[in-house]
Amino acid sequence: MKLIRKITAIILLLAPLFVVMSCHTDKKIDHTVYYHTAETLCNMSRIDNARPYIDSIKILIPQYPDAEIYASALEAWCFMCEKNMPQSTRYAIEALNKIENDTLGRFNCNELLSDLSVMLSFNYLSSNNDSVIYFAEKCYNLHKTNNSSRATKHSIEACLYMAEALKNSHNFEACIDKLQIIQNMCDTTALINSDPTWMLYILSESSKIATMVGDYRRSNNYLQDASKLYDKGTLFDKLLYLYHRAYAHLYQNQYTLATYYSTRLRDLAIAYNSPSDERLGYVVEGLTACRIGNIKRATDCCRSADSIESLYPNKVQEIFEKLLLDGELAAYQGDYSKAKELLFSLPQSNKMLFDQLSLLESQQKYYLTQNDFKSIYEIEQRKQRYIDSIQTNVIYSNEIKQAKREKASAEEMRIQIQAQESTIDNYKSTVIFERIFFIFLVTIVAIGIVLAIRRNDARNNRRIEVEKKRLEKEIQSKVKELEHQAEMLQKTNNRISESVTYAERIQHSILPLPNDLEKYDIEGSFIFLSPLDVVSGDFYWFTQKGDNLILACADCTGHGIPGAFMSMIASTILNDIVKTAPDNILPSRILEDMDTMLIDILTHNTSETGAANDGLDIALVSINLKTLNLTASAARRPVIIIKDQEIITMRGQKRSIGDADEIVRCRKFVDETYQLHRGDTIYLFSDGYSDQFGGPEGEKMKSTKIKRFLRAIHNDDMDEQCLTVQELFTQWKGDYPQTDDVLFIGIKL
């Protein structure tokens, strides 16, 4: 391999000599060969080796009219690689003007025109938004009807530059339109598989722009797609993705996730010695810590960021976030003059939505330290006006347009389906004709055989004729029987589908509404239920008995319809037991009674049907809403309590409800009691969550990972916790199939 590389390097070094010699010996040589060779050398940053090829192209200008265009394009390429943007722009515009002023139609430089347009868009990105849009639009219009991978990548880059320029010009609606185009083109599976590293960069940059204009939903979609390509990215792309992810969660006030991704960014930067990205990680983590009131951690992060010299001292976003962090810390430390200087002297007119909201939130932190609640209220109103102006006027109107486009697409698909149905009908007619023709041929052959046999033996001919008629009748009978069976099978399938749908409605009608849990004297709650099939074997149940809130999380044997039947039986038994029980009934007593009743039901007529092995695992808690005293008992399911930052785990008895094993039934259900306080959280979940296969190694999630995750999010709002629990399950599962019904319940007192 090393020998091949050395030979290649020698050829590239000697190539200019052969080029010059060939120009003097054969004037008809194609100049595009020199162009592609020089372009390759430029991309390898070997500018000195590329210059002789440019000179060789200039020699061919009298012979080829477009050779001058290619020479100018290569000059632009070289100067861009040397970071000389003014000269690069000059030569690129010179080549473009020659292509556009071609009145004789001599030039065919579409690919070159695309490359130059993308280059000029990039060169103007930080100085002239109108020029960016002009040149990027050229590239997009050139390739929008071309479905090749290269053309699609050029189109995506052009749309990305246009979105950036439109964002800088405050034309948010047009910016979101470009982001939608990028999202549609990024759905191309072949493109993702061909260049995952490039796609990770594009998705990360698109999420940044979506966050800047306040379209958080689109930003999260981009980041979700990018997370699937993270392992295939380069170090630069991974650092860029982690920064944009932490950045997006920070501006959506999702501080737990912002801390998580900023920590990952800092650790990766330290591992690969990237001081600038390490500094960014400390700045974002410090700002997040400041927003949640962890001043000590915020101060440590600020000091760590100050101790690292940035490789990009003029990076606007880093400076802006660092000033916010310094200003908030100064306010918390009592240096109000410095805080006011930092937080109220930043320009506001040219800031995007995300910067303006963050700046206003930092100013609120300043007023909070001085107990100036009037100013805090005024800033809150300004924040709401910013959010309404973007989301109502831009994002939602854009979604209406998208809905109309989807409706038109659905209508087009309907027409295509009708055309396909017509094709199928024609195919059926052809098949019927072929079958009739085949039967006709078989009949003719049979008649010929019969006539031949009759000539030899008339008696045998009669027997054959009788047998033939019998077979024909039998075939017709079989055909009718098959048609009847097909009709019965279709009816059976329809009845089963209707039954399953009706069973789903019955199950939902039996279970209490999740929102009814909010009626009780608790701070908040959530219930996440994801059946494996239409109906579920997992179910939740709650009611109030006196001063006690009784809550159950149950996992019945099996899933689908059998599991649903078991869940309905079990919930009915629970209702009957608690309805007639005294107000102070213990959870262990409920489980013992439930076990007895379920055994009686399942073993009814066992002499005819055999012993039943069905049952359920359940965690049952009783919370006194006045004293906050919790009593819990469980059958093979844990109860997790987070009390004063401490995790308490009640593992439950190793015995299922309805267990037929006499040895196991000797283990009695026991009660465990805990005195809780306001703000403590309780979590119950079925084994479908902890036993789900996924992650990088295809292993089970297990309770240890769940406890670690719950410790990180238990202080969040319960609605946000529910979304985070669902996101963790989806990310962990990945491409693995769901293995069981999933139920997860959380309560904050």
Side-chain angles (χ1 to χ4, degrees):
M1 196 68 183
K2 292 182 179 179
L3 179 60
I4 294 174
R5 291 178 181 173
K6 290 181 180 179
I7 294 173
T8 304
I10 293 172
I11 293 173
L12 287 174
L13 289 174
L14 296 178
L17 178 61
F18 293 117
V19 168
V20 175
M21 293 175 62
S22 64
C23 290
H24 291 286
T25 58
D26 186 5
K27 295 297 184 179
K28 295 299 182 180
I29 191 168
D30 189 356
H31 59 288
T32 58
V33 175
Y34 300 146
Y35 171 78
H36 290 300
T37 305
E39 182 185 26
T40 302
L41 290 169
C42 288
N43 292 333
M44 295 168 63
S45 299
R46 305 182 70 163
I47 308 302
D48 294 336
N49 293 336
R51 293 291 185 187
Y53 287 93
I54 301 175
D55 296 335
S56 300
I57 293 175
K58 290 178 179 178
I59 294 174
L60 297 174
I61 289 176
Q63 187 177 354
Y64 295 100
D66 58 345
E68 188 175 1
I69 296 174
Y70 282 91
S72 298
L74 284 174
E75 291 285 5
W77 247 189
C78 291
F79 281 117
M80 188 183 74
C81 294
E82 293 173 347
K83 309 299 182 184
N84 189 342
M85 295 308 178
Q87 285 292 87
S88 173
T89 302
R90 171 197 157 197
Y91 279 102
I93 293 177
E94 181 180 303
L96 276 176
N97 289 338
K98 290 175 183 177
I99 295 174
E100 293 181 341
N101 294 332
D102 173 28
T103 58
L104 300 179
R106 297 173 297 171
F107 309 142
N108 184 15
C109 308
N110 287 347
E111 184 176 319
L112 180 60
L113 175 61
S114 172
D115 292 342
L116 291 170
S117 298
V118 171
M119 181 200 303
L120 287 168
S121 300
F122 178 77
N123 288 353
Y124 280 115
L125 199 56
S126 60
S127 59
N128 191 325
N129 295 322
D130 293 335
S131 297
V132 173
I133 295 172
Y134 173 76
F135 290 113
E137 189 109 34
K138 279 181 176 292
C139 177
Y140 178 73
N141 291 333
L142 182 67
H143 285 305
K144 65 182 179 181
T145 58
N146 191 340
N147 295 325
S148 69
S149 176
R150 178 182 174 89
T152 304
K153 290 176 69 173
H154 273 306
S155 299
I156 291 176
E157 287 180 344
C159 286
L160 184 65
Y161 294 147
M162 282 191 281
E164 180 78 19
L166 290 166
K167 179 263 298 179
N168 293 338
S169 302
H170 294 174
N171 190 350
F172 298 145
E173 185 171 1
C175 175
I176 292 175
D177 285 337
K178 300 303 178 188
L179 291 177
Q180 179 61 46
I181 294 173
I182 293 173
Q183 185 173 356
N184 293 339
M185 288 191 289
C186 285
D187 290 337
T188 306
T189 305
L191 182 63
I192 294 175
N193 294 335
S194 65
D195 198 347
T197 298
W198 180 82
M199 283 297 301
L200 178 59
Y201 165 76
I202 290 295
L203 292 170
S204 299
E205 284 294 304
S206 300
S207 74
K208 178 195 73 173
I209 298 175
T211 302
M212 286 181 173
V213 298
D215 193 350
Y216 296 143
R217 177 163 40 187
R218 194 181 305 278
S219 172
N220 291 336
N221 289 338
Y222 280 126
L223 291 172
Q224 186 70 22
D225 292 339
S227 66
K228 301 174 183 177
L229 305 173
Y230 177 81
D231 293 334
K232 300 179 181 179
T234 63
L235 173 63
F236 169 80
D237 297 317
K238 289 181 178 180
L239 291 169
L240 185 70
Y241 163 77
L242 292 174
Y243 171 66
H244 289 328
R245 184 113 199 190
Y247 172 86
H249 289 306
L250 172 64
Y251 288 103
Q252 295 180 58
N253 296 331
Q254 297 174 345
Y255 298 126
T256 301
L257 293 174
T259 301
Y260 171 72
Y261 284 105
S262 61
T263 303
R264 283 184 60 185
L265 169 65
R266 190 191 68 235
D267 293 343
L268 185 62
I270 292 173
Y272 289 95
N273 192 22
S274 178
S276 182
D277 293 297
E278 181 183 355
R279 174 183 170 89
L280 275 174
Y282 276 119
V283 170
V284 177
E285 184 181 359
L287 197 54
T288 305
C290 213
R291 296 285 169 81
I292 62 178
N294 190 349
I295 308 304
K296 182 180 181 304
R297 181 57 187 161
T299 304
D300 292 341
C301 289
C302 185
R303 289 173 181 169
S304 299
D306 289 334
S307 67
I308 301 172
E309 182 178 357
S310 176
L311 297 179
Y312 309 101
N314 296 322
K315 193 169 183 180
V316 175
Q317 193 57 39
E318 178 184 343
I319 295 173
F320 179 73
E321 292 168 349
K322 184 62 168 62
L323 289 175
L324 294 184
L325 176 58
D326 291 340
E328 290 188 33
L329 284 177
Y332 277 111
Q333 293 167 359
D335 192 349
Y336 299 117
S337 60
K338 179 181 177 181
K340 193 166 186 179
E341 178 183 355
L342 290 171
L343 298 179
F344 291 86
S345 61
L346 292 172
Q348 300 183 17
S349 58
N350 294 326
K351 287 295 175 186
M352 296 297 99
L353 171 71
F354 74 105
D355 283 342
Q356 191 63 272
L357 290 177
S358 188
L359 179 59
L360 291 174
E361 188 157 344
S362 295
Q363 291 175 357
Q364 278 185 317
K365 298 292 183 183
Y366 168 79
Y367 286 125
L368 183 64
T369 60
Q370 295 188 334
N371 295 326
D372 187 352
F373 299 107
K374 180 179 179 182
S375 298
I376 293 174
Y377 176 73
E378 291 175 354
I379 290 179
E380 187 64 32
Q381 288 183 316
R382 289 175 61 189
K383 285 169 59 179
Q384 193 59 45
R385 285 197 297 271
Y386 275 115
I387 295 172
D388 293 342
S389 67
I390 290 295
Q391 293 185 340
T392 302
N393 299 329
V394 179
I395 298 175
Y396 294 150
S397 64
N398 192 274
E399 290 183 351
I400 292 173
K401 292 180 182 177
Q402 178 64 17
K404 291 181 179 178
R405 287 194 292 266
E406 290 177 354
K407 183 178 180 182
S409 176
E411 180 63 22
E412 182 180 352
M413 186 176 294
R414 185 184 66 81
I415 294 173
Q416 292 177 355
I417 291 173
Q418 288 180 346
Q420 291 177 356
E421 290 177 348
S422 176
T423 304
I424 292 172
D425 291 339
N426 294 334
Y427 174 74
K428 288 181 177 179
S429 301
T430 303
V431 170
I432 292 173
F433 175 77
E434 290 176 350
R435 288 180 179 177
I436 293 174
F437 183 71
F438 176 75
I439 294 173
F440 175 75
L441 289 178
V442 171
T443 304
I444 292 298
V445 172
I447 292 174
I449 293 172
V450 170
L451 291 176
I453 295 174
R454 286 187 63 183
R455 280 194 296 265
N456 295 319
D457 195 345
R459 185 175 51 189
N460 292 339
N461 186 46
R462 285 195 298 269
R463 284 202 296 264
I464 291 173
E465 188 66 26
V466 171
E467 184 66 17
K468 176 192 164 199
K469 291 181 180 180
R470 186 187 69 79
L471 290 174
E472 288 179 349
K473 290 181 181 180
E474 185 176 348
I475 290 172
Q476 292 176 357
S477 176
K478 292 293 183 182
V479 170
K480 290 181 180 179
E481 183 179 351
L482 289 174
E483 290 177 350
H484 178 70
Q485 289 177 355
E487 182 180 356
M488 294 300 295
L489 185 62
Q490 182 63 36
K491 290 181 179 180
T492 303
N493 185 47
N494 293 338
R495 285 198 300 271
I496 292 173
S497 299
E498 292 172 358
S499 300
V500 171
T501 304
Y502 190 61
E504 180 186 15
R505 291 202 300 270
I506 293 174
Q507 188 177 39
H508 282 302
S509 66
I510 291 176
L511 295 177
L513 295 175
N515 292 338
D516 289 347
L517 200 54
E518 302 291 341
K519 296 178 181 179
Y520 302 108
D521 186 17
I522 58 176
E523 182 176 334
S525 64
F526 72 83
I527 298 176
F528 168 46
L529 177 61
S530 177
L532 177 60
D533 299 314
V534 178
V535 290
S536 172
D538 291 1
F539 73 94
Y540 59 88
W541 180 91
F542 57 84
T543 189
Q544 184 170 356
K545 190 71 174 178
D547 294 334
N548 298 313
L549 170 61
I550 302 176
L551 173 68
C553 171
D555 180 0
C556 297
T557 301
H559 48 76
I561 294 178
F565 272 115
M566 282 298 301
S567 68
M568 288 188 285
I569 293 172
S571 61
T572 302
I573 292 174
L574 269 173
N575 281 325
D576 292 343
I577 293 173
V578 176
K579 183 177 180 180
T580 59
D583 291 348
N584 60 348
I585 186 172
L586 294 174
S588 61
R589 183 68 262 168
I590 296 175
L591 295 185
E592 292 288 356
D593 292 347
M594 188 177 181
D595 179 75
T596 302
M597 294 179 68
L598 189 62
I599 287 291
D600 290 342
I601 292 174
L602 296 180
T603 57
H604 184 63
N605 289 335
T606 54
S607 60
E608 298 177 8
T609 63
N613 292 320
D614 300 318
L616 68 147
D617 299 337
I618 184 171
L620 190 68
V621 298
S622 176
I623 306 169
N624 190 302
L625 298 176
K626 290 185 177 180
T627 65
L628 300 185
N629 184 273
L630 179 142
T631 303
S633 185
R636 295 186 183 274
R637 294 307 314 141
V639 177
I640 296 177
I641 303 168
I642 301 183
K643 178 175 185 254
D644 299 328
Q645 303 299 323
E646 177 189 359
I647 293 185
I648 301 172
T649 303
M650 195 210 84
R651 301 188 182 281
Q653 185 62 271
K654 291 184 178 180
R655 167 190 171 188
S656 298
I657 301 296
D659 201 319
D661 192 331
E662 293 298 332
I663 297 176
V664 175
R665 290 177 59 81
C666 292
R667 303 169 186 163
K668 298 299 181 181
F669 294 111
V670 296
D671 294 301
E672 295 187 25
T673 303
Y674 305 95
Q675 180 60 52
L676 304 183
H677 304 91
R678 290 292 178 184
D680 293 344
T681 50
I682 306 153
Y683 299 99
L684 313 171
F685 55 89
S686 66
D687 61 0
Y689 198 93
S690 57
D691 290 350
Q692 175 62 45
F693 291 100
E697 303 297 332
E699 58 186 4
K700 293 183 179 181
M701 186 182 298
K702 298 183 180 179
S703 299
T704 305
K705 292 186 181 66
I706 296 175
K707 291 177 187 177
R708 216 165 34 233
F709 183 70
L710 292 177
R711 183 190 293 275
I713 69 168
H714 76 280
N715 286 325
D716 294 348
D717 179 75
M718 296 306 286
D719 291 336
E720 186 174 338
Q721 286 192 40
C722 183
L723 294 175
T724 308
V725 166
Q726 294 182 46
E727 182 181 1
L728 173 65
F729 181 76
T730 302
Q731 289 184 353
W732 179 265
K733 179 168 69 70
D735 296 331
Y736 288 88
Q738 184 171 331
T739 56
D740 199 357
D741 300 322
V742 174
L743 175 61
F744 206 112
I745 304 174
I747 295 180
K748 180 174 288 190
L749 298 180

